[in-house]
Amino acid sequence: MKHVYIEHLQDHIGETVTIKGWVFHRRSSGKLKFIEVRDGTGIVQCVIFKGNVPEEQFQSADNVSLESSVIIEGSVREDKRAPGGCEIDVQTFHVHHHAEDYPITPKEHGEDFLLDRRHLWIRSKRQNAILRVRHTIVKAIRDFFDERGFVLFDAPILTPNAVEGTSTLFETSYFDLGSAYLTQSGQLYGEAGALALGKIYVFGPTFRAEKSKTRRHLTEFWMVEPEMAWYDLNDDMDLAEEFIEYVVQTTLDKRSGELEVLERDLSKLECIQRPFPRISYDEAVAILHKHGKEFDYGNDFGAPDETLISGQFDRPVIVHRYPAEVKAFYMKRDPEDETKALAMDMLAPEGYGEIIGGSQREDDYDTLVRRIREHNLPQDVFEWYLDLRRYGSVPHSGFGLGLERTVAWICKLDHIRETIPFPRTIKRKNP
Amino acid sequence: MKHVYIEHLQDHIGETVTIKGWVFHRRSSGKLKFIEVRDGTGIVQCVIFKGNVPEEQFQSADNVSLESSVIIEGSVREDKRAPGGCEIDVQTFHVHHHAEDYPITPKEHGEDFLLDRRHLWIRSKRQNAILRVRHTIVKAIRDFFDERGFVLFDAPILTPNAVEGTSTLFETSYFDLGSAYLTQSGQLYGEAGALALGKIYVFGPTFRAEKSKTRRHLTEFWMVEPEMAWYDLNDDMDLAEEFIEYVVQTTLDKRSGELEVLERDLSKLECIQRPFPRISYDEAVAILHKHGKEFDYGNDFGAPDETLISGQFDRPVIVHRYPAEVKAFYMKRDPEDETKALAMDMLAPEGYGEIIGGSQREDDYDTLVRRIREHNLPQDVFEWYLDLRRYGSVPHSGFGLGLERTVAWICKLDHIRETIPFPRTIKRKNP
């Protein structure tokens, strides 16, 4: 008998098939048992009519516990009211393994209770939907770059130096070579890649040993970082805008069912269309002051500032040209105002804050050496990076997108911990 | 003027375009200068005829150093003999940045010389080709699983326990929670994913702090690990076979130009077609003995054994049903011979050794507890993993493919260090 995944049942209306899955819900009504079965690709209602199956199978359907694994044969019947558009008329009902009492029930559970059982919690309708959306966002990200001639460039995870102190770095002993540190960004390596391959993207896990307990922070999270030779800040912003539109619209297109499970207001995503508003740092500060927010000109924005600024718009807003002092040493200065860096951040709507940070990079050797000194960084560890300005330097730009923040925004989640299979936070490294 | 990437020049024959890139090679012949320019997507010959450009541009073409960045305008002329099928008739020649004396020259360089300059070495024709092949292999891997309904499942990099000692683990301090360890495999997490989502794949960096200095070992490498609910060992082998055929044939299809740069014998890849030979461990041992190789029955195969076995076949060979003692605790035993594990390894041809290792997993709670005890492993850290056998256990299988070994095989490289942008070995963590 043909094993069919639940997501494909609609292609088998009228056929007799086998489904293999787990008991998700059950109820009884005299001579009828209704068993909802999940197989990871969807949920379908299986109807067992007393006369249609052997008596002991009918009885076992009464006793079967939630999350027991089952193998069911039956015919697929169209039913427009059913979630997947069909039901199964059961002919044989086989319990493969009787589950012990399943610990996760419809009642409210505490955060730690669920996170301790993350390996089971991901079976729930809601977590399952989030992980499928995550999958589709990752695929959209990769497809976007692949279709535009970017080459994947896997930067190293183990990096040799702690140039700005070790306070936010995970450190490990590396054979006879001293310490190595888990990467916080692949950008500097990505720049070498862009000058070799034209346009590249780094996409891998990054790490922050930050003592932050907010809903926005994970210690381990994935970041995609495109880097493009011959791109200036405007090209960079154009790409970021096209990129976010593509990711959001593709996810809407492929995962509307999952987003409905999450009760996401789809209209908030449908309007994520280019052009996005672009404002300078100065204009962003003016917005804060206009709304009576205390803010000292020259500082970087905090989360409440970002929420207020992005709250003025129904789509992501790009803020560009920040004061150079609050930005990294490698950012190029604005030739029209040397106090400003050619930096840009994209703030997501609905209070999700910064999802993209990027800049045009300093491409002049002497200037970059000066910046390294001004930032009190050791020049020797940057000699290889300076080589990129010794041998055929070109204007180049790039940005980084935090995957989990993007998933949180698109799914409208309260907490970033639900965006990744096994979240790592300051309080948690298990399971 | 329209900026065109070199790989797209063929679509612009007869047009005047701008290319932006780096000087790869130059030669002179009286009134003609020939400058080969690379832009990361390809190489094109630019022909400068004395009368066609201003005199100072003609002179600058004489002095321009290798790897200087240049912006060139000219018309695209078809030339079947040229590598990309066309040449550029230069109208303006602009040097954007004069490179210092480029350290990598056509002469032989030592291994450390090149690895110290990996950020520049990747600009070479050969390294560039390898990284493009790597990109395509990664994309083929993801497309294969995505098209077959697998969900990407990013397993954690930071893991809580060192159950078999710390000798091959990278360890880091994790806030107030003691130590965390860099993952060696996402498989156990992937099993939780498969029981939640049906079919999943983990694809991320993995780490071995192994003191191995061979040509086959990196301390940081990428691994893809599919895991499927309701799959037995045969299903697992079928999938692995289809997978490798797909990856090799897709790479051949998309990257034949790069494989030619690498002087790869394409006929060795063209024959990677299903079915692959499948032999039992016992049959593999018989091959060794037949060829006069000393080998004690019951041991695992070493690299020379693998080379001898795989050398009998023109495509990958799957060896299955290993002695249980040499395999991991989580592998299910063969019901027809309890001394054997339902394990399978795939050995690549041409001496590249194991590229895939997989198995059907033990799905019986009591048996798995017994195995954990037999292997002297602490049961408490596996309680979450045992939950997968408490709540709706199902037969399930999976395998892991090492990305870099696969790239090395498909490109036929002598050393695995060329398969990744910035290799990490026991002797190297820089740049």
Side-chain angles (χ1 to χ4, degrees), chain A residues 21-23 26 35 56-57 59-71 93-102 123, chain B residues 230 363-365 386-394:
Chain A
W22 294 265
V23 173
R26 68 180 165 81
I35 311 242
E56 78 276 11
Q57 292 184 12
Q59 294 305 327
S60 76
D62 244 353
N63 307 323
V64 67
S65 51
L66 293 187
E67 284 300 323
S68 290
S69 50
V70 292
I71 300 175
F93 179 79
H94 171 68
V95 180
H96 180 80
H97 176 250
H98 284 278
E100 295 179 22
D101 273 357
Y102 195 62
R123 298 181 182 190
Chain B
W230 304 101
D363 54 352
D364 179 68
Y365 176 85
L386 287 163
D387 274 356
L388 306 179
R389 282 76 180 167
R390 286 188 182 100
Y391 305 110
S393 190
V394 300

Side-chain angles (χ1 to χ4, degrees), chain B residues 286-320:
Chain B
I287 288 174
L288 293 178
H289 288 160
K290 194 181 110 192
H291 286 81
K293 180 89 171 64
E294 268 189 47
F295 182 85
D296 289 336
Y297 185 91
N299 285 348
D300 205 351
F301 300 123
D305 306 319
E306 290 179 354
T307 300
L308 203 161
I309 295 163
S310 64
Q312 310 307 307
F313 307 95
D314 66 347
R315 59 200 75 194
V317 54
I318 298 177
V319 182
H320 54 80

Side-chain angles (χ1 to χ4, degrees), chain A residues 82-283:
Chain A
C86 54
E87 278 190 348
I88 302 274
D89 263 333
V90 178
Q91 289 155 13
T92 70
F93 179 79
H94 171 68
V95 180
H96 180 80
H97 176 250
H98 284 278
E100 295 179 22
D101 273 357
Y102 195 62
I104 301 177
T105 60
K107 72 167 190 187
E108 284 283 314
H109 294 289
E111 169 191 332
D112 275 330
F113 182 90
L114 289 170
L115 285 172
D116 285 341
R117 290 159 186 80
R118 183 67 178 164
H119 53 290
L120 302 175
W121 187 25
I122 55 177
R123 298 181 182 190
S124 74
K125 214 183 245 183
R126 190 179 154 78
Q127 298 305 314
N128 200 295
I130 294 168
L131 292 178
R132 286 182 177 273
V133 171
R134 176 186 170 98
H135 164 92
T136 297
I137 290 173
V138 170
K139 181 165 164 52
I141 290 170
R142 292 185 179 266
D143 286 348
F144 178 84
F145 292 117
D146 292 347
E147 287 165 10
R148 283 158 186 77
F150 286 69
V151 177
L152 173 67
F153 191 81
D154 293 309
I157 308 300
L158 293 164
T159 61
N161 304 110
V163 295
E164 301 187 79
T166 58
S167 67
T168 65
L169 287 170
F170 289 108
E171 182 172 2
T172 187
S173 165
Y174 198 85
F175 306 108
D176 303 329
L177 302 175
S179 288
Y181 306 90
L182 300 191
T183 184
Q184 297 200 319
S185 158
Q187 179 205 312
L188 304 197
Y189 294 103
E191 291 184 47
L195 271 56
L197 293 151
K199 297 186 291 190
I200 62 88
Y201 65 104
V202 176
F203 196 175
T206 54
F207 303 85
R208 296 268 161 95
E210 216 172 322
K211 295 196 174 60
S212 297
K213 282 196 227 180
T214 83
R215 292 162 177 272
R216 288 188 188 184
H217 285 87
L218 294 171
T219 57
E220 175 185 322
F221 57 99
W222 286 65
M223 189 147 65
V224 59
E225 299 175 281
E227 188 77 27
M228 299 74 65
W230 305 102
Y231 270 49
D232 65 16
L233 182 67
N234 276 331
D235 299 326
D236 203 33
M237 292 194 286
D238 288 347
L239 185 78
E241 196 180 64
E242 187 186 357
F243 172 59
I244 292 299
E245 179 188 85
Y246 179 92
V247 169
V248 171
Q249 296 309 320
T250 302
T251 307
L252 252 177
D253 185 40
K254 310 261 188 210
R255 294 294 177 195
S256 60
E258 282 80 359
L259 291 169
E260 274 163 26
V261 166
L262 300 170
E263 299 177 319
R264 181 64 167 121
D265 179 352
L266 300 186
S267 70
K268 300 274 193 207
L269 298 176
E270 282 157 3
C271 70
I272 309 300
Q273 306 269 358
R274 287 179 288 168
F276 296 172
R278 295 182 190 185
I279 60 176
S280 67
Y281 172 86
D282 288 6
E283 289 167 324

Side-chain angles (χ1 to χ4, degrees), chain A residues 134 154 157 179 220 429, chain B residues 134 154 157 179 220 425 429:
Chain A
R134 176 186 170 98
D154 293 309
I157 308 300
S179 288
E220 175 185 322
K429 59 167 189 167
Chain B
R134 177 186 169 99
D154 293 308
I157 308 299
S179 288
E220 174 185 323
T425 64
K429 60 167 187 166

